[in-house]
Amino acid sequence: MKNIRDFSLEELENELINLGEKKFRAKQIFAWIYRGVTSFDAMTDLSKDLIEKLKQNYIIDCIFLENFQKSKDGTIKYLFKLTDEHKIESVLMKYKYGYTACVSNQIGCKMGCNFCASAKIGFVRNLTPGEIVGQILKMEEHSGEKISNIVFMGIGEPFDNYDNVMKAVRLINDPKGLNIGARHISISTCGLVEGIERFMNENIQCNLCISLHSSRDEVRSDMMPINRKYNISQVIEVCKKYIVKTNRRITFEYALVDGVNDSREDALHLSKLLHGMLCHVNLIPVNKIKDGKYEKSSVEKMMAFRDLLNDKGIVATIRRELGSDIAAACGQLVRDEQTSQK
Ligand code: SAH
């Protein structure tokens, strides 16, 4: 059966026409979906007949709450089960300016970054658009909060599931959908050059984040195998094109690892690489994962790294860590409770 949440409004209109129904019914159904309704019976302005037809052809709820954990800082990590029994995790974080949802886009990940727990669990499949927006709807339903920001920083590589992710982005952004402004949506990629090329032509004002983690190819290739396919200069080149094309600032994510990428020379080298670019560097203390070989840099080293970048004219901030006590922080998400380490 098809998942009704996979459709844009236009596609849903076509579906209804194919069912012999009036096109405007799609608007009513779409509105119910994004009001968070999870059963066709609750769509009270539809006829009994139409509700029956919908039930015969579509499912609406495709993601089920299996478990959740609340951190000391209020962050909630959710474990969701999908219709094929596979599980994924998503995270809800509270900031001064509202709630941010961190969503997964694949079951597992193929990229193999050696510091990320999601890479260790093997790849199963891409999530559908409906499964991606479903995470947000479920988190709103469970928490009773309206989510105002979305980050594609959960499990998976968004540009390795490009079409479904972009379709989900449109549903999130659609005023009749989740109605979240594009500027409040961030997509993080490990640096898939073709994906960045496509994304710059989408004409949507989402934020692009690039996981850089080192400005040296030897170090980056060791941390992120994808660097052997797209090296740093290829990634930087396409980022420069993106900035010219969109006039939007790029965020570079840089997980600071003790003794690996956090020296004064590393900061200087990075500042030269990013010199003159419209960008921002987000420094993340590397989070420990099971059997991981990396340790976080000390607070003093992180501050020195940030200060040196700032002195060189590169805006850099240290990301506040949320949810690390429940393994909900960057790189700690996995796909079932057995492998989840606290
Ligand atoms: N596949 C996407 C999204 C990954 S998660 C990407 O690579 O960008 C979001 C961010 O968390 C990425 O920058 C990722 O590199 C970072 N991350 C992964 N594991 C981490 C860890 N153990 N500590 C800190 N950051 C980590």
Side-chain angles (χ1 to χ4, degrees):
M1 269 219 273
K2 297 185 209 171
N3 179 357
I4 203 158
R5 286 184 190 148
D6 280 337
F7 301 120
S8 66
L9 180 55
E10 294 70 41
E11 288 169 339
L12 193 54
E13 285 172 349
N14 287 331
E15 291 285 320
L16 280 146
I17 291 168
N18 291 339
L19 288 178
E21 293 288 331
K22 293 264 182 331
K23 186 173 146 184
F24 76 91
R25 295 287 175 207
K27 269 207 184 80
Q28 292 172 290
I29 298 168
F30 205 73
W32 283 115
I33 295 175
Y34 289 97
R35 238 176 269 162
V37 154
T38 52
S39 95
F40 292 113
D41 288 318
M43 301 185 176
T44 49
D45 54 0
L46 305 181
S47 69
K48 287 245 153 37
D49 252 18
L50 177 54
I51 289 176
E52 270 321 301
K53 256 193 218 173
L54 293 173
K55 282 187 193 168
Q56 278 160 24
N57 289 281
Y58 308 102
I59 53 162
I60 175 162
D61 212 8
C62 58
I63 179 157
F64 307 95
L65 181 63
E66 186 77 0
N67 205 348
F68 73 94
Q69 278 175 278
K70 203 163 179 170
S71 148
K72 292 199 283 280
D73 60 36
T75 300
I76 307 178
K77 179 171 77 165
Y78 292 97
L79 181 71
F80 292 123
K81 189 155 91 184
L82 306 170
T83 47
D84 59 4
E85 306 279 309
H86 284 299
K87 291 171 191 165
I88 51 162
E89 292 186 328
S90 322
V91 182
L92 183 63
M93 294 163 286
K94 188 177 179 185
Y95 288 98
K96 284 198 287 290
Y97 47 80
Y99 283 84
T100 296
C102 176
V103 294
S104 293
N105 73 86
Q106 293 178 319
I107 305 176
C109 185
K110 299 178 209 158
M111 299 300 130
C113 300
N114 73 353
F115 49 90
C116 180
S118 305
K120 313 261 181 230
I121 55 182
F123 177 78
V124 179
R125 67 169 172 87
N126 288 329
L127 297 184
T128 64
E131 288 170 331
I132 297 172
V133 294
Q135 295 168 57
I136 304 167
L137 289 167
K138 262 296 177 266
M139 286 191 269
E140 288 193 335
E141 179 190 324
H142 176 264
S143 66
E145 303 290 348
K146 171 76 186 131
I147 292 169
S148 53
N149 289 271
I150 306 295
V151 296
F152 282 82
M153 296 188 186
I155 303 168
E157 165 49 46
F159 288 169
D160 186 43
N161 182 16
Y162 191 93
D163 293 327
N164 289 351
V165 165
M166 280 321 294
K167 198 160 172 198
V169 165
R170 304 273 174 200
L171 292 168
I172 293 166
N173 183 226
D174 189 334
K176 295 196 183 72
L178 281 170
N179 192 22
I180 295 177
R183 289 192 168 85
H184 297 268
I185 305 171
S186 299
I187 301 182
S188 179
T189 176
C190 62
L192 301 187
V193 168
E194 280 98 5
I196 301 168
E197 294 262 9
R198 277 181 83 182
F199 187 63
M200 73 174 85
N201 293 308
E202 291 285 348
N203 206 7
I204 189 162
Q205 304 206 303
C206 297
N207 304 309
L208 177 64
C209 308
I210 307 281
S211 299
L212 191 61
H213 305 318
S214 174
S215 57
R216 303 176 200 277
D217 276 320
E218 327 78 83
V219 179
R220 192 168 189 267
S221 292
D222 186 45
M223 297 174 82
M224 307 173 68
I226 194 68
N227 195 65
R228 298 196 191 105
K229 184 156 184 211
Y230 305 109
N231 66 20
I232 294 171
S233 69
Q234 289 168 297
V235 172
I236 294 296
E237 191 188 309
V238 73
C239 287
K240 286 183 175 163
K241 260 170 78 180
Y242 170 92
I243 293 168
V244 170
K245 171 92 189 168
T246 64
N247 202 24
R248 294 193 61 76
R249 185 175 79 160
I250 288 185
T251 297
F252 288 102
E253 296 160 284
Y254 195 107
L256 285 161
V257 185
D258 188 42
V260 172
N261 62 2
D262 65 342
S263 71
R264 207 187 129 71
E265 293 68 40
D266 290 323
L268 258 177
H269 197 257
L270 178 64
S271 74
K272 287 188 187 133
L273 181 72
L274 302 182
H275 180 76
M277 286 177 80
L278 182 61
C279 71
H280 169 253
V281 177
N282 209 329
L283 299 168
I284 318 165
V286 79
N287 289 303
K288 189 106 185 122
I289 62 165
K290 205 166 143 221
D291 306 326
K293 59 177 178 176
Y294 294 144
E295 296 292 335
K296 292 188 194 339
S297 310
S298 67
V299 174
E300 294 71 35
K301 262 177 136 177
M302 289 198 288
M303 291 196 315
F305 200 96
R306 175 197 62 196
D307 294 345
L308 199 147
L309 287 175
N310 285 333
D311 285 349
K312 296 287 170 194
I314 310 283
V315 184
T317 48
I318 298 174
R319 183 186 287 175
R320 195 158 66 94
E321 257 189 294
L322 291 177
S324 54
D325 56 329
I326 54 165
C330 302
Q332 296 185 311
L333 298 187
V334 290
R335 61 183 166 84
D336 65 45
E337 53 247 288
Q338 278 84 49
T339 31
S340 174
Q341 4 85 44
K342 278 172 241 162

